[in-house]
Amino acid sequence: MQDPVSGDVASVFTQLVDARKSARGFSREPVPQTVLDQVFGAALRAPSNCNTQPWQTHVASGDKVEELRTKLPEAFMKGEFTMDFPYDGKYEGVYKERQYASAEALYSAMGITREEKDKRNVAFMRNFTFFDAPHVAFLFLPEPFGLREACDLGMYAQTLMLSMVAHGLACCPQTALSFMAGQVREVLDIDPGNRLLFGLSFGYEDEQHPSNRCRTERAELADITHFHGS
Ligand SMILES: Cc1cc2nc3c(=O)[nH]c(=O)nc-3n(C[C@H](O)[C@H](O)[C@H](O)COP(=O)(O)O)c2cc1C
């Protein structure tokens, strides 16, 4: 039987999960390597099918993050998309409603209206300059892995994000960064057998940045979780 988690630990866990949010404004102050080792080390405990740990993480900092900060917006503006996994970004029904609500929460936190398309574009382009973060982690799925291993990578990613928050860092997971998988591999000299699922900008939160006032809603427990049996 698993050891029971004490009341205190459960409450700290809830606080931790609650404290994580997608941050879109960072200070440029780099995170010390000792902290990076602890943060990424703790995330290694994430579970995976048959404990295969089918992920490779590449963290860009310093000159490499600056090179990417220049090259990715240029590539995006030229339409040079090199994604490894298909993406159409189209949702229907309740999923579309949630997508719109999250965009609305973000843009209203930034004081941007629906009509201000230029400002929305500028805000979107900040994806490719990592929202000013000093570091970006790229999460790769080695070939020939597919759907099941992508789920493993998702579990690793959430463990990593919670580890970041527990260590006083903020982060933003970004599918947008996967649009430029080829350019990322080239700059970081990564084997083409590694396919980029998404990236994660991270560092110390800029608490003054308006985007960081954004808080998203969640569905009700009964809409998501269905308990069966007596
Ligand atoms: C796999 C994944 C990819 C995401 N991609 C982006 C992205 O490209 N750009 C962005 O600004 N936010 C991105 N997000 C953040 C979501 O918009 C955010 O998680 C959602 O709105 C819930 O808000 P919260 O993270 O603040 O709780 C992504 C989140 C996940 C989990």
Side-chain angles (χ1 to χ4, degrees):
M1 201 173 89
Q2 193 161 353
D3 290 341
V5 174
S6 80
D8 272 349
V9 174
S11 135
V12 168
F13 172 74
T14 305
Q15 285 176 47
L16 182 63
V17 172
D18 231 36
R20 188 218 55 81
K21 64 169 190 233
S22 295
R24 298 182 182 86
F26 296 87
S27 100
R28 290 275 179 125
E29 185 188 340
V31 179
Q33 187 61 46
T34 48
V35 177
L36 295 181
D37 290 345
Q38 286 168 14
V39 165
F40 285 85
L44 297 175
R45 294 301 307 172
S48 55
N49 275 280
C50 304
N51 200 24
T52 46
Q53 304 160 67
W55 46 70
Q56 281 289 312
T57 309
H58 289 265
V59 182
S61 310
D63 59 341
K64 288 297 178 189
V65 86
E66 294 314 328
E67 189 176 344
L68 289 164
R69 223 191 290 279
T70 305
K71 287 190 171 160
L72 297 197
E74 284 172 4
F76 185 86
M77 293 312 284
K78 286 190 210 151
E80 292 170 353
F81 303 116
T82 54
M83 58 196 64
D84 296 327
F85 298 94
Y87 175 83
D88 70 6
K90 290 196 178 75
Y91 298 99
E92 295 300 335
V94 68
Y95 307 108
K96 189 173 181 174
E97 285 168 24
R98 292 175 189 160
Q99 177 190 28
Y100 277 39
S102 79
E104 189 50 37
L106 175 61
Y107 291 124
S108 68
M110 298 180 80
I112 300 175
T113 66
R114 185 175 282 271
E115 292 69 39
E116 293 178 306
K117 299 273 185 253
D118 288 354
K119 287 188 182 172
R120 286 188 173 219
N121 285 340
V122 170
F124 174 75
M125 284 305 292
R126 281 175 52 75
N127 269 288
F128 304 107
T129 52
F130 318 122
F131 307 109
D132 293 329
H135 309 279
V136 52
F138 294 100
L139 307 189
F140 288 90
L141 199 60
E143 278 179 337
F145 295 135
L147 184 60
R148 285 186 199 286
E149 293 81 11
C151 296
D152 293 336
L153 200 152
M155 294 191 198
Y156 166 75
Q158 172 70 343
T159 310
L160 178 60
M161 290 193 286
L162 293 181
S163 178
M164 286 178 175
V165 175
H167 287 84
L169 305 178
C171 57
C172 186
Q174 293 166 263
T175 290
L177 298 180
S178 71
F179 300 168
M180 255 59 86
Q183 292 87 341
V184 171
R185 268 192 296 270
E186 193 181 317
V187 169
L188 302 183
D189 194 19
I190 293 167
D191 188 286
N194 289 299
R195 297 188 294 165
L196 180 58
L197 208 51
F198 57 95
L200 197 60
S201 297
F202 70 94
Y204 299 105
E205 180 177 345
D206 172 1
E207 290 174 5
Q208 304 308 315
H209 199 278
S211 63
N212 288 336
R213 291 196 292 256
C214 169
R215 225 25 189 143
T216 49
E217 300 293 325
R218 291 296 187 271
E220 296 297 324
L221 178 65
D223 292 334
I224 299 288
T225 316
H226 310 279
F227 298 99
H228 302 269
S230 51

